[in-house]
Amino acid sequence: MTEHVWSYKSTAGHLAGTDLTGYKVEAIDGGIGKVDKHSDEVDDAYLVVDTGVWIFGKEVLLPASTVVRIDLDDRRIFVDRTKEQIKDAPEFHRDKHLDDPEYRQVLGTYYGMGGPFGGRTI
């Protein structure tokens, strides 16, 4: 079964209803910030990460499928992308893009099928 780009992997350790706000987010090559907002809605799960000084106070939207492991005890979320790959994603503006289906399609393509990482369908 192909997992949806906006769904957590069954192996990530995500527990529905868990508040991930404030969890640190770790890319393959280091920390990228903290979760500011998240959704665990079926087929619409994501993390909004406040990157702090890493990319000058910007936020990034990460589809749930990028999450490989959630450490509930240490309050850390590990994603399967490098800092550079996340930085190169389509720019995110919460007020403009959070509920925009066109942006979601573009971001889903970037992180999923047809994008540089391929493999998952949107």
Side-chain angles (χ1 to χ4, degrees):
M1 181 174 141
T2 303
E3 293 182 326
H4 193 279
V5 73
W6 298 104
S7 297
Y8 286 98
K9 295 173 182 147
S10 59
T11 57
H14 176 261
L15 300 173
T18 302
D19 184 5
L20 301 174
T21 305
Y23 277 50
K24 293 180 181 177
V25 180
E26 300 283 336
I28 292 169
D29 54 351
I32 63 165
K34 290 185 179 181
V35 175
D36 187 53
K37 177 177 176 50
H38 70 96
S39 167
D40 61 3
E41 301 270 331
V42 174
D43 295 334
D44 190 30
Y46 59 82
L47 303 172
V48 175
V49 180
D50 180 348
T51 63
V53 296
W54 174 54
I55 41 180
F56 305 109
K58 294 196 180 223
E59 294 179 318
V60 294
L61 181 67
L62 294 175
S65 65
T66 62
V67 175
V68 292
R69 185 168 62 92
I70 299 173
D71 184 332
L72 297 173
D73 295 329
D74 201 26
R75 297 181 48 88
R76 289 186 186 273
I77 298 171
F78 298 86
V79 297
D80 62 357
R81 302 296 190 266
T82 66
K83 292 166 87 171
E84 192 67 26
Q85 290 167 328
I86 293 167
K87 189 175 178 182
D88 289 346
E91 192 168 348
F92 173 69
H93 299 282
R94 184 192 298 236
D95 296 338
K96 182 177 177 184
H97 294 129
L98 193 57
D99 296 316
D100 180 355
E102 288 182 29
Y103 176 78
R104 294 286 188 93
Q105 179 72 30
V106 169
L107 194 66
T109 299
Y110 179 79
Y111 283 112
M113 188 65 119
F117 315 110
R120 290 187 282 277
T121 57
I122 297 170

